[in-house]
Amino acid sequence: MKTIRPIVMKFGGTSVANVDRIKNVAKIIIERKKQYKYVVVVVSAPGDTTDELIEKAYQITDNPDKRELDMLLSTGEQMSIALVAMALHSMGCKAISLTGPQAGIYADEAHTKARIIDIDTRRIKKYLKQDNVVIVAGFQGINPNQDITTLGRGGSDLTAIALAAKLKSPICEIYTDVEGVFTTDPRVVPEARKIDYLTYEEMLEMAGSGAQVMMARSIEVAKKYNVKLEVKSSLVNKPGTIIYGSKKW
Ligand code: ASP
Ligand code: MG
């Protein structure tokens, strides 16, 4: 039987911040599915949802229980997966949403900063074979106590890259609100220049120097498993920045 090697597309919070953006994301997914038969999508919570949920927790108590904080924060991503699935359905595309636990993402017990231990991809593959776009909630997994744990701020990148590694994806596309990785932040410096190619090491250096494009820990995982990344915009259709092992290929 032919092995299933889906592409992974990850959409950050700004890409799913409102209904129009969610519909736009669905259109991008449908375009991609014409080229790649199998598509796995990872989404973050809409806009500032995660910050707002944290704020609420701290309005109730100075010391929220970490298990309950994870229970709360994981709801942001659940809104996004259901809405993206509905948007795809409305455009005639088969799709199914899965929470981290439903997608088989096993994490350790470190609430609010868990690591992914393993991913059981059987359920994802089953739905892919049935021609579904599979939409997975980023930033969450299930720990050995069957509790939801979150993976640290920006953790949807980690979900996407871990899935791409496990599923041997040809590429993991990271969609955001900028056109790629820039020499400096284009939202601050207008003459910033987009970089076409970066090695993992260069990307790690940029993440360390404060460029908030991707979660630094997720780039380490991409490097370890040689996952090819492309950081690109969900708002303009242009090539983004490719991040891979070597620049000369
Ligand atoms: N929603 C989570 C956060 O804001 C995870 C993510 O966006 O990747 O940190
Ligand atoms: Mg977020």
Side-chain angles (χ1 to χ4, degrees):
M1 198 188 65
K2 197 173 154 285
T3 29
I4 290 180
R5 289 182 61 189
I7 61 159
V8 175
M9 305 172 76
K10 181 256 172 178
F11 294 91
T14 51
S15 299
V16 291
N18 57 46
V19 166
D20 285 337
R21 296 256 174 107
I22 288 169
K23 289 180 182 170
N24 173 55
V25 160
K27 283 185 197 149
I28 298 173
I29 295 167
I30 288 170
E31 272 314 302
R32 229 63 199 107
K33 196 171 182 297
K34 287 179 190 163
Q35 194 182 342
Y36 294 96
K37 191 165 153 43
Y38 300 114
V39 178
V40 171
V41 174
V42 173
V43 278
S44 294
D48 296 326
T49 305
T50 308
D51 290 321
E52 287 161 11
L53 291 172
I54 292 172
E55 225 175 272
K56 255 190 198 159
Y58 281 89
Q59 279 169 14
I60 288 179
T61 164
D62 288 341
N63 190 19
D65 181 271
K66 292 221 166 120
R67 179 187 181 278
E68 304 308 332
L69 207 49
D70 276 351
M71 191 66 98
L72 179 69
L73 298 193
S74 62
T75 62
E77 273 68 16
Q78 272 181 239
M79 289 194 246
S80 299
I81 54 170
L83 292 170
V84 171
M86 289 176 197
L88 285 167
H89 295 164
S90 77
M91 294 173 195
C93 178
K94 278 182 84 176
I96 186 161
S97 66
L98 297 174
T99 63
Q102 287 175 326
I105 299 177
Y106 294 101
D108 66 19
E109 288 177 52
H111 280 295
T112 74
K113 50 173 192 295
R115 282 173 187 269
I116 295 175
I117 302 166
D118 198 10
I119 307 178
D120 178 349
T121 56
R122 279 176 294 183
R123 194 160 174 195
I124 291 178
K125 284 184 176 162
K126 180 181 111 186
Y127 291 129
L128 287 173
K129 272 187 222 157
Q130 295 166 356
D131 199 36
N132 288 286
V133 171
V134 179
I135 305 152
V136 179
F139 176 57
Q140 55 179 260
I142 190 158
N143 74 12
N145 305 320
Q146 308 291 306
D147 285 330
I148 294 172
T149 47
T150 62
L151 308 175
R153 298 306 305 271
S156 298
D157 288 333
L158 200 57
T159 305
I161 290 169
L163 277 170
K166 189 79 189 188
L167 293 162
K168 299 188 172 26
S169 300
I171 193 158
C172 178
E173 299 177 335
I174 307 286
Y175 287 84
T176 177
D177 57 348
V178 289
E179 287 170 30
V181 182
F182 281 69
T183 47
T184 47
D185 192 338
R187 288 165 295 202
V188 184
V189 186
E191 52 281 354
R193 192 176 47 81
K194 195 203 88 197
I195 304 164
D196 292 335
Y197 301 103
L198 282 171
T199 61
Y200 300 118
E201 281 81 5
E202 288 167 335
M203 184 64 182
L204 279 166
E205 270 171 39
M206 300 203 61
S209 71
Q212 299 261 311
V213 194
M214 283 183 71
M215 186 206 212
R217 187 146 64 92
S218 72
I219 303 160
E220 306 264 13
V221 176
K223 184 182 168 196
K224 182 168 171 193
Y225 295 99
N226 212 29
V227 176
K228 186 176 184 178
L229 306 174
E230 181 174 2
V231 176
K232 60 196 298 191
S233 169
S234 64
L235 305 172
V236 289
N237 185 10
K238 276 189 191 172
T241 301
I242 300 276
I243 302 148
Y244 206 30
S246 131
K247 260 196 264 192
K248 315 274 176 269
W249 70 85

Coordinates of all heavy atoms in Angstrom, one line a residue, residues 195-244:
I195 N 14.1 37.2 3.6 CA 15.2 36.2 3.3 C 14.6 35.0 2.6 O 13.6 34.5 3.1 CB 15.9 35.8 4.6 CG1 16.4 37.1 5.4 CG2 17.0 34.8 4.4 CD1 16.7 36.8 6.9
D196 N 15.2 34.6 1.5 CA 14.6 33.5 0.7 C 14.9 32.1 1.4 O 14.1 31.2 1.5 CB 15.2 33.4 -0.7 CG 14.7 34.6 -1.5 OD1 13.6 35.1 -1.1 OD2 15.3 35.0 -2.5
Y197 N 16.2 31.9 1.8 CA 16.6 30.6 2.4 C 17.4 30.8 3.7 O 18.2 31.7 3.8 CB 17.5 29.9 1.4 CG 16.9 29.6 0.1 CD1 17.2 30.3 -1.0 CD2 16.0 28.6 0.0 CE1 16.6 30.1 -2.2 CE2 15.4 28.3 -1.2 CZ 15.7 29.1 -2.3 OH 15.1 28.8 -3.5
L198 N 17.1 30.0 4.7 CA 17.9 30.0 5.9 C 18.2 28.5 6.3 O 17.4 27.6 6.0 CB 17.1 30.6 7.0 CG 16.9 32.1 7.1 CD1 15.9 32.5 8.2 CD2 18.2 32.8 7.5
T199 N 19.3 28.3 7.0 CA 19.6 27.0 7.6 C 18.9 27.0 8.9 O 18.6 28.1 9.5 CB 21.1 26.7 7.7 OG1 21.6 27.7 8.6 CG2 21.8 26.8 6.4
Y200 N 18.8 25.8 9.5 CA 18.2 25.7 10.9 C 19.0 26.6 11.9 O 18.5 27.3 12.7 CB 18.2 24.3 11.4 CG 17.3 23.4 10.5 CD1 17.9 22.3 9.8 CD2 16.0 23.6 10.3 CE1 17.1 21.5 9.1 CE2 15.2 22.8 9.6 CZ 15.8 21.7 8.9 OH 15.0 20.9 8.1
E201 N 20.4 26.5 11.7 CA 21.2 27.2 12.6 C 21.0 28.7 12.5 O 20.9 29.4 13.5 CB 22.7 27.0 12.3 CG 23.3 25.7 12.9 CD 22.9 24.5 11.9 OE1 22.3 24.8 10.8 OE2 23.2 23.3 12.3
E202 N 20.9 29.2 11.3 CA 20.6 30.7 11.1 C 19.3 31.1 11.7 O 19.1 32.1 12.3 CB 20.7 31.0 9.6 CG 22.1 31.0 9.0 CD 22.1 31.0 7.5 OE1 21.1 30.6 6.9 OE2 23.1 31.4 7.0
M203 N 18.3 30.2 11.5 CA 16.9 30.5 12.0 C 17.0 30.5 13.5 O 16.3 31.3 14.2 CB 16.0 29.4 11.5 CG 14.5 29.7 11.8 SD 13.9 31.2 11.2 CE 12.2 31.2 11.9
L204 N 17.7 29.5 14.1 CA 17.8 29.5 15.6 C 18.5 30.8 16.1 O 18.0 31.3 17.1 CB 18.7 28.3 16.0 CG 17.9 27.0 16.1 CD1 18.8 25.8 16.2 CD2 16.9 27.0 17.2
E205 N 19.5 31.3 15.4 CA 20.1 32.5 15.8 C 19.2 33.7 15.8 O 19.1 34.5 16.7 CB 21.3 32.8 14.9 CG 22.6 32.3 15.3 CD 23.7 32.4 14.2 OE1 23.7 33.5 13.6 OE2 24.5 31.5 14.0
M206 N 18.3 33.7 14.7 CA 17.4 34.8 14.6 C 16.3 34.7 15.7 O 15.9 35.7 16.2 CB 16.7 34.7 13.2 CG 17.7 34.9 12.1 SD 17.1 35.5 10.6 CE 16.4 37.1 11.0
A207 N 15.9 33.5 16.0 CA 14.9 33.3 17.1 C 15.5 33.8 18.4 O 14.8 34.4 19.2 CB 14.4 31.9 17.1
G208 N 16.8 33.4 18.6 CA 17.5 33.8 19.8 C 17.6 35.3 19.9 O 17.6 35.9 21.0
S209 N 17.8 36.0 18.8 CA 18.0 37.4 18.8 C 16.7 38.2 18.8 O 16.7 39.4 18.6 CB 18.9 37.9 17.6 OG 18.1 37.8 16.4
G210 N 15.6 37.5 19.1 CA 14.4 38.2 19.3 C 13.4 38.2 18.2 O 12.3 38.7 18.3
A211 N 13.7 37.7 17.0 CA 12.8 37.6 15.9 C 11.7 36.6 16.3 O 12.0 35.4 16.4 CB 13.5 37.2 14.6
Q212 N 10.5 37.1 16.5 CA 9.4 36.3 17.1 C 8.6 35.5 16.0 O 7.4 35.4 16.1 CB 8.5 37.1 17.9 CG 9.2 37.8 19.1 CD 8.9 37.1 20.4 OE1 7.8 36.8 20.7 NE2 10.0 36.9 21.1
V213 N 9.3 35.0 15.0 CA 8.6 34.4 13.9 C 8.1 33.0 14.3 O 6.9 32.6 14.1 CB 9.4 34.3 12.6 CG1 8.5 33.9 11.5 CG2 10.1 35.6 12.4
M214 N 9.0 32.2 15.0 CA 8.6 30.9 15.3 C 9.1 30.5 16.7 O 10.1 31.1 17.2 CB 9.2 29.9 14.4 CG 8.5 29.8 13.0 SD 9.3 28.5 12.0 CE 8.8 27.1 12.9
M215 N 8.5 29.5 17.4 CA 9.0 29.1 18.7 C 10.3 28.4 18.5 O 10.5 27.5 17.7 CB 8.0 28.0 19.2 CG 8.2 27.5 20.6 SD 7.6 25.9 20.8 CE 7.1 25.9 22.5
A216 N 11.3 28.9 19.3 CA 12.7 28.4 19.1 C 12.8 26.9 19.2 O 13.5 26.2 18.5 CB 13.6 29.1 20.1
R217 N 12.1 26.3 20.2 CA 12.2 24.9 20.5 C 11.7 24.1 19.3 O 12.2 23.0 19.0 CB 11.4 24.5 21.7 CG 11.5 23.1 22.2 CD 11.4 23.0 23.7 NE 10.1 23.4 24.3 CZ 9.1 22.6 24.6 NH1 9.2 21.3 24.3 NH2 8.0 23.0 25.1
S218 N 10.7 24.6 18.5 CA 10.2 23.9 17.4 C 11.3 23.8 16.3 O 11.3 22.9 15.5 CB 8.9 24.6 16.9 OG 9.2 25.8 16.2
I219 N 12.1 24.8 16.2 CA 13.2 24.8 15.1 C 14.2 23.7 15.5 O 14.7 23.1 14.6 CB 13.8 26.2 15.0 CG1 12.7 27.3 14.7 CG2 14.9 26.2 13.9 CD1 13.1 28.7 15.0
E220 N 14.5 23.6 16.8 CA 15.4 22.5 17.2 C 14.8 21.1 16.7 O 15.6 20.3 16.3 CB 15.5 22.4 18.7 CG 15.9 23.7 19.4 CD 17.4 23.8 19.7 OE1 18.1 23.0 19.1 OE2 17.8 24.7 20.4
V221 N 13.5 21.0 16.9 CA 12.9 19.7 16.5 C 13.0 19.5 14.9 O 13.3 18.5 14.4 CB 11.4 19.6 17.0 CG1 10.8 18.3 16.5 CG2 11.4 19.7 18.5
A222 N 12.7 20.6 14.2 CA 12.8 20.6 12.7 C 14.2 20.2 12.3 O 14.4 19.3 11.4 CB 12.5 21.9 12.2
K223 N 15.2 20.7 13.0 CA 16.6 20.4 12.7 C 16.9 18.9 13.0 O 17.5 18.2 12.2 CB 17.5 21.3 13.6 CG 19.0 21.1 13.3 CD 19.8 22.0 14.2 CE 21.3 21.6 14.0 NZ 22.1 22.1 15.1
K224 N 16.5 18.5 14.1 CA 16.7 17.1 14.6 C 16.2 16.1 13.5 O 16.8 15.1 13.2 CB 16.1 16.9 16.0 CG 16.4 15.5 16.5 CD 16.0 15.4 18.0 CE 16.1 14.0 18.5 NZ 15.5 13.9 19.8
Y225 N 15.0 16.4 13.0 CA 14.3 15.4 12.1 C 14.4 15.9 10.7 O 13.7 15.3 9.8 CB 12.8 15.2 12.6 CG 12.8 14.5 13.9 CD1 12.6 15.3 15.1 CD2 13.0 13.2 14.1 CE1 12.5 14.7 16.3 CE2 12.9 12.5 15.3 CZ 12.7 13.3 16.4 OH 12.6 12.7 17.7
N226 N 15.1 16.9 10.4 CA 15.3 17.4 9.0 C 14.0 17.7 8.3 O 13.7 17.3 7.2 CB 16.1 16.3 8.2 CG 16.9 17.0 7.2 OD1 17.4 18.1 7.4 ND2 17.2 16.3 6.1
V227 N 13.1 18.4 9.0 CA 11.8 18.8 8.5 C 12.0 20.1 7.7 O 12.4 21.1 8.3 CB 10.8 19.0 9.6 CG1 9.4 19.5 9.0 CG2 10.5 17.7 10.4
K228 N 11.6 20.1 6.4 CA 11.7 21.3 5.6 C 10.6 22.2 5.9 O 9.4 21.8 5.9 CB 11.7 20.9 4.1 CG 11.9 22.0 3.1 CD 11.9 21.4 1.7 CE 12.2 22.5 0.7 NZ 12.3 21.9 -0.6
L229 N 10.9 23.5 6.2 CA 9.9 24.5 6.6 C 9.8 25.6 5.6 O 10.8 25.9 4.9 CB 10.3 25.1 7.9 CG 10.6 24.3 9.1 CD1 11.1 25.1 10.3 CD2 9.4 23.5 9.6
E230 N 8.6 26.1 5.4 CA 8.4 27.4 4.7 C 7.6 28.3 5.5 O 6.4 28.0 5.8 CB 7.8 27.2 3.3 CG 7.7 28.5 2.5 CD 7.2 28.4 1.1 OE1 7.0 27.2 0.6 OE2 7.2 29.4 0.4
V231 N 8.1 29.4 5.9 CA 7.4 30.5 6.6 C 6.8 31.4 5.6 O 7.6 32.0 4.8 CB 8.3 31.2 7.6 CG1 7.5 32.4 8.3 CG2 8.9 30.3 8.6
K232 N 5.5 31.6 5.5 CA 4.9 32.4 4.5 C 3.6 33.1 5.0 O 3.1 32.7 6.1 CB 4.6 31.6 3.2 CG 3.7 30.4 3.5 CD 3.8 29.4 2.3 CE 3.3 30.0 1.0 NZ 3.2 28.9 0.0
S233 N 3.1 34.0 4.2 CA 1.9 34.8 4.6 C 0.6 34.1 4.2 O 0.5 33.5 3.2 CB 2.0 36.2 4.0 OG 0.8 36.8 4.2
S234 N -0.4 34.2 5.1 CA -1.7 33.7 4.7 C -2.5 34.8 4.0 O -3.6 34.6 3.6 CB -2.5 33.2 5.9 OG -2.7 34.2 6.9
L235 N -1.9 36.0 3.9 CA -2.7 37.1 3.4 C -2.3 37.5 2.0 O -3.1 38.0 1.2 CB -2.5 38.3 4.3 CG -2.9 38.1 5.8 CD1 -2.6 39.2 6.7 CD2 -4.4 37.7 5.9
V236 N -1.0 37.2 1.6 CA -0.6 37.4 0.2 C 0.0 36.1 -0.3 O 0.7 35.3 0.4 CB 0.5 38.5 0.1 CG1 -0.1 39.9 0.3 CG2 1.6 38.3 1.0
N237 N -0.3 35.8 -1.6 CA 0.2 34.5 -2.2 C 1.5 34.7 -2.8 O 1.6 35.0 -4.0 CB -0.9 34.0 -3.2 CG -0.6 32.7 -3.7 OD1 0.3 32.0 -3.2 ND2 -1.3 32.3 -4.8
K238 N 2.6 34.5 -2.0 CA 4.0 34.7 -2.5 C 4.8 33.7 -1.8 O 4.6 33.3 -0.7 CB 4.5 36.1 -2.1 CG 4.1 37.2 -2.9 CD 4.9 38.4 -2.4 CE 4.5 39.7 -3.0 NZ 5.1 40.9 -2.4
P239 N 6.0 33.3 -2.5 CA 6.9 32.4 -1.8 C 7.4 33.0 -0.5 O 7.6 34.2 -0.5 CB 8.0 32.1 -2.8 CG 7.5 32.7 -4.1 CD 6.4 33.6 -3.8
G240 N 7.6 32.2 0.5 CA 8.1 32.8 1.8 C 9.6 32.5 2.0 O 10.3 32.6 1.0
T241 N 9.9 32.1 3.2 CA 11.3 31.8 3.5 C 11.4 30.3 3.7 O 10.7 29.7 4.5 CB 11.8 32.5 4.8 OG1 11.7 33.9 4.6 CG2 13.2 32.1 5.2
I242 N 12.3 29.6 3.0 CA 12.6 28.2 3.2 C 13.6 28.0 4.3 O 14.7 28.7 4.2 CB 13.0 27.5 1.9 CG1 12.0 27.7 0.8 CG2 13.4 26.1 2.1 CD1 10.9 26.7 0.7
I243 N 13.4 27.1 5.2 CA 14.3 26.8 6.2 C 14.6 25.3 6.2 O 13.7 24.5 6.2 CB 13.8 27.2 7.6 CG1 13.5 28.7 7.7 CG2 14.8 26.8 8.7 CD1 12.3 29.0 8.6
Y244 N 15.9 25.0 6.0 CA 16.3 23.6 5.7 C 17.7 23.3 6.2 O 18.4 24.3 6.7 CB 16.1 23.3 4.2 CG 15.9 21.8 3.8 CD1 15.2 21.0 4.7 CD2 16.3 21.3 2.6 CE1 14.9 19.7 4.3 CE2 16.1 20.0 2.3 CZ 15.4 19.2 3.1 OH 15.2 17.9 2.8

